[in-house]
Amino acid sequence: MKRLIPGYIAGLVLAVSLLASAPALALGLNPAFPEPSIGPIQAKGVIVWSHGRSINAEDSQSPTPSYLRALRDNGWDALRFDRASRGDTLTESTAHLVEHVSELKHKGYKQVVLAGQSFGAFLALMAADSSAEVDAVIATAPADYGRFDDFYDSWKLNATKLYPLLEQVKRARVMVFYFHGDDFDPGGRGERSREILSARGLGYAVVDQPAFMTGHWASSSGLFLRRYGSCIRDFAENTNLSGEQTCSPRWGTSPSAEMKLPAELADAHPQREAAATAAAPTGSGVASDNAKAPRAFRDVWYGFYPNGREVLLGVESVRGNDLTAVYAIGPSIDDAFPAVWSRRQGHIVDDSFVFDEKGKSTLRFRPRPDGGLSASWSSADGKTSMAAHLRSIDPQSVARRGGAKGSAPVPAAAAHGDGDQAEN
C-alpha cells in the first residue's frame, strides 16, 4: 500500500521461526513475542498476524500489535507472517499464507486464526476464501488500494474489492474493525459488511467507528488492547458462534481497580465545604482571586491516554490562582510501569489548570463545553507528549471500584512518589 509509515524500532520482535531454524528477522512465520511458544498440543490455538505493505518501508520490521497479547496470555501461540515489500502481492502472499495454515494444522494446532492490518487484513480474508482450514479472521482497517488524498481513483476499491472477499469466506468466523478518520476507508463499509456476514450464517463481529479509536493505525495502540482485547479473545475462542457477537467494552468507562489513589480521594463520603464564590465554567469550584481561604471541594475527571493508561485528576484545594490536585495514572499494558499517583501544585492560567513544577512532567487541563477537560502531558525533558479527553465523574464512583488485585488505595501517609518515570 502506498503510504508513509512512521519509523519503527527494530528488535521489538524476536524473529526466530517457530517452524524451522531461520536467522533473525527472517521472512515467513516468526514468533510475535519473545516468550517461548506453548506448542500445538497444549496451546488453545495459534493466531497469525499479517502486517501491511508500503512502498517506502519494510513493514516486516513493524512492531506486533498489542492486542495479540490478549490471546497469548490466555494460552495461545502468536506468530507473524513477515514478507518483503518487493514481491508482496495479494496473490503470491495469500498462496504462501494458505501453505502456512496447512502446516500449522498438520502440526496439531486445534485452531488457526488469521489476523491482519490493512493489506494484511486483505491477505487474511483471501486466505479464508481459499482454505477451509482457517477457523477465524481478525481484520483491522482492511485496505489495499491507496488513500483518499493520493489515490482517489482507486481509493473506493478498498470497499468494492472487500465485499466479495466477505461473501466468499469458506467457513471462518470473521471479525472486522473500521475506524473513524481512516484515510483509506471510503465509508459505509460497516453496514454493508454486517449485511453480507449476517446472510452467510457464520459467526461474525463488525466493530464500526468505535468511540475513542481514530485513524488507520488505531488497532496498534495500547488503548485498542485495553478496550477490545477481551472481545477479540472471546471471539477467537467461541468455536460455536453462528451469529453476531457484539463488543461493548467496559474498560475506560470508570476508574478501574488497577489505579492507585490516596485514601482521601477514595473516600466514599467526601466532605464538601459550601462554596461562597462562583464556580469555574467546568464546575470545578475554583475560587475567585479575592478568596481569603482555600475552598475544600472534590471535583474529579477521568480518561485515558492513547497508550492505554488510565488518567485521573482530582482537584483538592484552591487559593486564588494556586491549586493542589492529585494526578494518577494506571499501569502500562505490559506492566513495565506500575500505577502511580502524585500530589501536584499548580496554578490557573486563563481558563486552564497548569502544573509545571521543575523536574516533573508538565500537565495542562483546559475546560471543554461538556464539562470535561482536554488534557496534555509532556515529559520532564520535553521530548514526549500525549493528549487525552477527561470527563467529569462522581467522586464516589472512585470508591466504588471493583476489588481486583491492586484496588486498595494507598494510605495518605504513604510516599507520594512522583510518577514521571512511570508515565513514560
Side-chain angles (χ1 to χ4, degrees), residues 13-335:
V13 179
L14 179 65
V16 178
S17 175
L18 264 180
L19 303 180
S21 298
L25 296 178
L27 301 179
L29 289 189
N30 297 301
F33 300 102
E35 292 79 4
S37 64
I38 301 173
I41 304 304
Q42 295 183 334
K44 292 182 178 180
V46 59
I47 182 168
V48 180
W49 178 74
S50 297
H51 55 73
R53 183 186 66 180
S54 302
I55 61 174
N56 50 12
E58 285 294 342
D59 286 17
S60 59
Q61 305 293 316
S62 62
T64 299
S66 299
Y67 75 84
L68 266 65
R69 296 176 184 271
L71 286 113
R72 182 206 63 181
D73 294 345
N74 208 48
W76 287 67
D77 280 337
L79 303 174
R80 298 168 53 102
F81 178 36
D82 291 323
R83 300 101 49 205
S85 59
R86 183 175 182 179
D88 186 16
T89 66
L90 285 177
T91 301
E92 292 295 324
S93 294
T94 296
H96 290 308
L97 183 54
V98 169
E99 291 175 359
H100 289 314
V101 170
S102 181
E103 291 174 0
L104 292 168
K105 282 287 190 176
H106 180 72
K107 284 179 174 290
Y109 280 104
K110 293 176 280 292
Q111 279 205 84
V112 176
V113 174
L114 300 183
Q117 160 69 18
S118 194
F119 179 86
F122 264 73
L123 284 183
L125 288 168
M126 289 184 66
D129 288 356
S130 302
S131 173
E133 293 185 296
V134 178
D135 295 290
V137 170
I138 313 294
T140 58
D144 181 44
Y145 299 94
R147 61 184 180 180
F148 177 85
D149 290 340
D150 301 326
F151 299 94
Y152 179 78
D153 291 340
S154 62
W155 166 68
K156 293 183 180 179
L157 295 177
N158 288 321
T160 58
K161 291 290 187 180
L162 173 68
Y163 303 144
L165 298 182
L166 299 177
E167 293 169 346
Q168 296 165 20
V169 172
K170 290 189 178 298
R171 55 170 290 273
R173 307 182 300 281
V174 176
M175 183 181 221
V176 62
F177 288 84
Y178 304 113
F179 302 110
H180 180 70
D182 182 356
D183 290 339
F184 296 86
D185 193 338
R189 298 195 297 178
E191 293 182 6
R192 181 63 182 134
S193 297
R194 187 173 284 108
E195 291 175 359
I196 294 172
L197 293 171
S198 63
R200 296 296 314 280
L202 302 173
Y204 73 95
V206 176
V207 182
D208 187 26
Q209 315 274 322
F212 313 114
M213 301 276 108
T214 58
H216 191 60
W217 309 104
S219 65
S220 64
S221 67
L223 180 56
F224 184 78
L225 165 63
R226 294 287 202 197
R227 293 188 64 81
Y228 291 100
S230 60
C231 189
I232 292 173
R233 177 202 62 208
D234 294 344
F235 180 84
E237 296 184 354
N238 191 353
T239 57
N240 296 321
L241 182 65
S242 59
E244 182 176 15
Q245 174 179 309
T246 59
C247 294
S248 301
R250 293 184 296 274
W251 187 93
T253 58
S254 62
S256 77
E258 293 183 302
M259 294 199 79
K260 291 185 179 297
L261 298 168
E264 61 270 26
L265 185 57
D267 182 2
H269 303 286
Q271 300 298 318
R272 293 177 179 266
E273 179 180 339
T277 56
T282 60
S284 67
V286 176
S288 62
D289 290 341
N290 60 1
K292 297 181 180 180
R295 297 291 180 181
F297 60 91
R298 185 72 62 76
D299 282 326
V300 180
W301 293 268
Y302 168 78
F304 38 77
Y305 290 121
N307 62 2
R309 300 190 71 174
E310 296 173 276
V311 56
L312 181 144
L313 178 75
V315 176
E316 293 185 312
S317 63
V318 175
R319 183 188 295 272
N321 284 333
D322 297 325
L323 55 90
T324 300
V326 167
Y327 174 71
I329 55 174
S332 61
I333 59 173
D334 57 2
D335 293 325

